[in-house]
Amino acid sequence: SVGKKAADMAAVLLGSVALHCRLLQVSGERSFSVDYKNDCFLKDGKPFQYISGSIHYSRIPRYYWKDRLLKMYMTGLNAIQVYVPWNFHEAVQGIYNFTGDRDLEHFLDLANQTGLLVILRPGPYICAEWEMGGLPAWLLQKPNIRLRSADTDYVQAVSNWLAVLLPKLKPWLYSNGGNIITVQVENEYGSYYACDYNYMRHLRTLFRFFLGEDTVLFTTDGNTDREMMCGTLEGLYATIDFGTDTNITDAFNRQRRFEPRGPLVNSEFYTGWLDHWGDQHAVVDAQKVSRVLGEMLTMGANVNMYMFEGGTNFGYWNGADHDSRFRSVVTSYDYDAPLSEAGDPTEKLLDIRDVIKQFRDVPSGPMPPATPKFAYGFVTLSKVNIKTGLLNILSPPGPVKSQYPLTFEEIKQYYGYMLYQTTLPWDLSEPTPLISPMNGVHDRLYSQSHGLLERDTVLVMNISGQKGDTVDILVENMGRVNFGSKINDYKGLVSNLILGKDVLTDWKIYPLDIDGAITRGWPQSNSRQSFPAFWTESTVGPAFYSGTLQPNGLAWDTFLKLNEWTKGQVWINGVNLGRYWPARGPQQTLYVPGPLLSSTQPNNITVLELEKAPAHLRILFMDRPQLSGNDVLFHIISVATQFLTTSDF
């Protein structure tokens, strides 16, 4: 069978790099195409049905790529589906990065060695609950740019990017000896308001120019007529996506209305769902997933499971939605997927493998085990006490001066945090409202003495003080909108702040390179120096805290719980783990991949707490995640720790 051939091929490839190289040189005998007459795909001239799962290399440490791919292969998948986030590779315009965790070709090579074909989704827009849907924020330097359209500035930037990316991919096409069988053009374009066929035609032309006339190009759209109407284009094979609560027959009939002949394809069959801060943790029933998967495969449909492993929104890479209000996606992209955020097989995976066994040969042998986890225990942090010189460390270029506030994009500080500084124009003996009347705080504003403002939620706070007092305002970019009509998501103070009846002016704006400072060794490099208190001795308001996790000979995966901390960001050994916000939830722990830790040297921990740190200043490394605040066991643990003192640790 086709499945047996795939398994045999994988065994040969894994055992012999030399043979792998020779196979890559074979091109004339390999082909992948659509058979419109018999309603299927053809691989090397024979009918082919793919059973695929989505995996995002940008959300998984490179060290673990092979582990995750092997688990997918051992489940019985014969393909994977992969997004390419443009902003992950061109964060700064004209500077391209395909090294380390961004080494796309190495990822494709590992998949090929493992025996997995690839369904590639290079965008340029990808959604994916990823920052700005994968579009680089520097596009917003053009203030009136119309994204995902035939807008001249946008099309030029897209053309430049694809002229770099697509030639890298061409050798990896199946017909050229690689493992890419199909390539998606754009992504769910029918759900975007523009419905610009000229833009889609331009993309089709670019993809054909760089990848050739015989490559199977496709589109994916949601299960509505409007989405399929605006998202499809002649010459691009139209596929559909839907989850477990959809009538399968109705959905595939809709695909048939737009693609009368050819294979049935569900490009995103949802095994789970995403979480926003403040949501309940999303769960999709494993039995329902297995049942619907089996029904689709019985129909001969090609299915990609989204996600198969979700991974983690490390750093600032999480996206956001904006329907009735702005809602940021949490750091964990666990997605309730068959492989957990940490890459561990779940009961859902085993159920799926049992279904796949009914349709193709599944590789023999045991499923690779979960990666080892360790509960390293408590670490007590100390406040980083700096009164002067902090801005010299975090913002070496110094401030940009402006009469009115400037956005992150205008300052070219695309992610993270900026500090806005001005002075009170008069004495405020009574609390006076500071208002963002145009909802112009994108996304959260923190003041040491006066509280916070939050986009769409908290638009007023009161200020008092003396004329000439400095007003420090820290603004956080919580991740740009990744879906819908509001992806032109500018960050920072995007409109004026009103104090009483007057507009605040004369700003100093500091772009904060916190990640750069921590990478250079701060604040641990200053640990031997003695400083007076930074802002105040209080644990209220934005402040840095640091400490070390002492080595114990192990560098295993772990999960960081910040019990009674409020909201902020964590770095370990210079790596930005992402945001924590246990006060809002649902996510209560951060995934710490073992390869980030040292088994022999102290592990440096830096926490930026934005609102209020607990008096105990403890953090806890655990051997299991907590993705929901409703877990009774973890509630008991949390309550118990409140009665422990530092001496207990």
Side-chain angles (χ1 to χ4, degrees):
S1 70
V2 174
K4 185 67 166 60
K5 290 180 180 178
D8 292 342
M9 180 67 75
V12 174
L13 289 173
L14 286 168
S16 174
V17 174
L19 179 57
H20 165 59
C21 293
R22 287 199 297 273
L23 283 170
L24 283 177
Q25 296 170 2
V26 178
S27 60
E29 300 173 5
R30 296 160 64 92
S31 64
F32 194 88
S33 61
V34 174
D35 183 346
Y36 289 96
K37 182 179 179 181
N38 295 300
D39 296 332
C40 64
F41 287 116
L42 292 178
K43 177 172 168 281
D44 300 332
K46 298 178 181 178
F48 179 77
Q49 179 185 29
Y50 69 66
I51 307 174
S52 171
S54 288
I55 178 172
H56 297 163
Y57 63 92
S58 56
R59 286 179 159 130
I60 301 168
R62 174 183 173 128
Y63 180 90
Y64 281 140
W65 287 350
K66 187 172 183 178
D67 172 79
R68 309 307 195 248
L69 291 168
L70 184 57
K71 288 169 180 170
M72 296 174 80
Y73 175 77
M74 294 301 292
T75 304
L77 305 187
N78 55 13
I80 59 171
Q81 192 190 80
V82 182
Y83 273 134
V84 180
W86 178 5
N87 54 11
F88 196 59
H89 296 283
E90 194 185 359
V92 177
Q93 188 172 10
I95 300 176
Y96 303 99
N97 186 351
F98 289 93
T99 63
D101 286 344
R102 292 166 169 80
D103 191 343
L104 171 59
E105 290 187 81
H106 178 61
F107 181 81
L108 294 173
D109 189 31
L110 287 175
N112 203 13
Q113 292 180 46
T114 309
L116 290 165
L117 300 166
V118 172
I119 301 155
L120 200 75
R121 309 173 87 183
Y125 163 85
I126 64 168
C127 185
E129 290 74 62
W130 186 263
E131 224 283 337
M132 203 170 155
L135 299 177
W138 50 259
L139 290 169
L140 299 177
Q141 288 177 282
K142 301 282 187 180
N144 297 314
I145 193 167
R146 195 166 183 241
L147 301 173
R148 302 181 72 193
S149 78
D151 176 280
T152 304
D153 292 323
Y154 177 71
V155 163
Q156 185 60 58
V158 166
S159 300
N160 293 343
W161 161 240
L162 293 179
V164 171
L165 175 65
L166 295 183
K168 290 179 178 292
L169 302 178
K170 188 170 184 178
W172 292 96
L173 296 174
Y174 184 80
S175 60
N176 292 335
N179 53 341
I180 297 174
I181 53 173
T182 62
V183 179
Q184 180 180 267
V185 176
E186 241 276 350
N187 184 74
E188 295 181 324
Y189 189 63
S191 64
Y192 193 57
Y193 75 94
C195 201
D196 187 338
Y197 292 113
N198 287 331
Y199 164 56
M200 289 295 287
R201 290 187 190 102
H202 178 74
L203 290 181
R204 181 181 60 190
T205 300
L206 286 174
F207 277 70
R208 284 287 173 224
F209 177 79
F210 287 111
L211 300 181
E213 292 297 323
D214 294 332
T215 300
V216 176
L217 303 179
F218 73 98
T219 59
T220 302
D221 284 288
N223 183 27
T224 69
D225 288 343
R226 196 272 178 192
E227 289 171 88
M228 294 292 288
M229 180 70 72
C230 288
T232 57
L233 189 70
E234 185 179 355
L236 309 176
Y237 192 79
T239 75
I240 199 163
D241 54 34
F242 56 88
T244 57
D245 293 330
T246 300
N247 183 299
I248 301 171
T249 303
D250 289 348
F252 282 134
N253 283 343
R254 178 167 280 111
Q255 184 196 356
R256 275 283 172 255
R257 289 203 291 276
F258 291 87
E259 200 67 78
R261 300 306 301 264
L264 298 174
V265 180
N266 185 347
S267 288
E268 290 189 6
F269 172 54
Y270 302 110
T271 62
W273 201 246
L274 65 140
D275 291 340
H276 303 95
W277 294 112
D279 287 353
Q280 294 290 316
H281 176 51
V283 175
V284 174
D285 180 69
Q287 291 184 344
K288 200 181 262 190
V289 170
S290 299
R291 176 179 57 78
V292 177
L293 174 64
E295 291 172 1
M296 288 188 290
L297 296 178
T298 299
M299 297 172 69
N302 299 263
V303 180
N304 174 72
M305 287 168 272
Y306 189 100
M307 296 291 300
F308 206 86
E309 184 192 354
T312 307
N313 294 312
F314 294 111
Y316 310 114
W317 289 118
N318 66 276
D321 283 298
H322 197 303
D323 31 42
S324 59
R325 60 185 174 87
F326 177 83
R327 298 185 299 149
S328 182
V329 175
V330 303
T331 302
S332 171
Y333 199 62
D334 178 88
Y335 213 84
D336 193 33
L339 284 170
S340 73
E341 178 182 12
D344 298 338
T346 65
E347 288 298 321
K348 185 177 288 184
L349 178 142
L350 299 178
D351 289 347
I352 288 170
R353 184 171 64 170
D354 287 342
V355 171
I356 294 173
K357 285 178 181 177
Q358 302 170 33
F359 297 91
R360 67 182 303 265
D361 292 339
V362 171
S364 60
M367 175 66 60
T371 53
K373 313 293 188 298
F374 192 76
Y376 295 92
F378 288 96
V379 173
T380 300
L381 305 183
S382 300
K383 189 171 183 180
V384 178
N385 291 317
I386 301 176
K387 185 174 180 63
T388 59
L390 179 62
L391 288 176
N392 292 334
I393 295 169
L394 300 184
S395 187
V400 175
K401 297 181 180 179
S402 175
Q403 183 177 6
Y404 300 107
L406 300 174
T407 65
F408 277 51
E409 294 76 21
E410 289 170 315
I411 301 288
K412 298 185 179 182
Q413 164 88 15
Y414 299 119
Y415 309 107
Y417 305 85
M418 291 208 309
L419 182 71
Y420 293 77
Q421 194 176 79
T422 187
T423 57
L424 291 181
W426 60 81
D427 290 342
L428 300 174
S429 56
E430 297 293 329
T432 303
L434 178 70
I435 306 172
S436 174
M438 302 294 291
N439 196 18
V441 173
H442 288 194
D443 301 303
R444 291 189 110 227
L445 178 158
Y446 307 91
S447 169
Q448 180 72 24
S449 307
H450 309 294
L452 62 84
L453 300 179
E454 183 174 347
R455 181 176 180 177
D456 295 329
T457 306
V458 182
L459 306 182
V460 183
M461 67 182 183
N462 289 320
I463 286 185
S464 58
Q466 304 297 311
K467 179 180 180 179
D469 284 355
T470 298
V471 178
D472 285 327
I473 289 173
L474 184 67
V475 178
E476 178 186 12
N477 165 4
M478 281 285 293
R480 289 180 181 82
V481 172
N482 60 261
F483 180 80
S485 61
K486 298 181 180 179
I487 56 174
N488 287 56
D489 190 14
Y490 295 86
K491 296 301 187 181
L493 296 182
V494 303
S495 62
N496 289 321
L497 294 181
I498 310 296
L499 181 62
K501 297 181 180 179
D502 296 297
V503 174
L504 279 179
T505 59
D506 299 320
W507 292 92
K508 293 180 182 178
I509 306 166
Y510 293 85
L512 302 181
D513 183 16
I514 300 171
D515 294 81
I518 291 173
T519 300
R520 293 188 292 272
W522 182 87
Q524 283 78 14
S525 58
N526 294 348
S527 60
R528 296 183 181 179
Q529 304 178 37
S530 177
F531 294 94
F534 162 49
W535 287 358
T536 71
E537 289 289 357
S538 166
T539 57
V540 176
F544 288 97
Y545 300 82
S546 68
T548 56
L549 173 65
Q550 295 302 321
N552 70 347
L554 298 177
W556 289 2
D557 288 2
T558 188
F559 301 90
L560 177 58
K561 183 174 176 66
L562 293 103
N563 190 47
E564 296 183 317
W565 296 73
T566 309
K567 185 185 192 305
Q569 204 96 20
V570 182
W571 293 258
I572 293 186
N573 292 334
V575 175
N576 190 332
L577 294 181
R579 310 174 205 272
Y580 67 89
W581 202 355
R584 185 162 293 186
Q587 183 178 356
Q588 301 294 309
T589 56
L590 290 175
Y591 172 54
V592 184
L596 299 185
L597 300 176
S598 172
S599 60
T600 58
Q601 300 294 321
N603 295 280
N604 292 328
I605 304 165
T606 304
V607 173
L608 169 59
E609 169 59 52
L610 296 165
E611 296 186 38
K612 186 179 188 299
H616 58 70
L617 296 184
R618 293 190 300 268
I619 59 177
L620 175 63
F621 290 92
M622 304 165 38
D623 61 2
R624 65 199 66 188
Q626 184 187 2
L627 299 179
S628 170
N630 298 326
D631 191 308
V632 174
L633 172 62
F634 283 100
H635 176 69
I636 294 171
I637 292 172
S638 300
V639 171
T641 61
Q642 296 173 22
F643 294 98
L644 300 175
T645 63
T646 304
S647 61
D648 296 315
F649 310 141

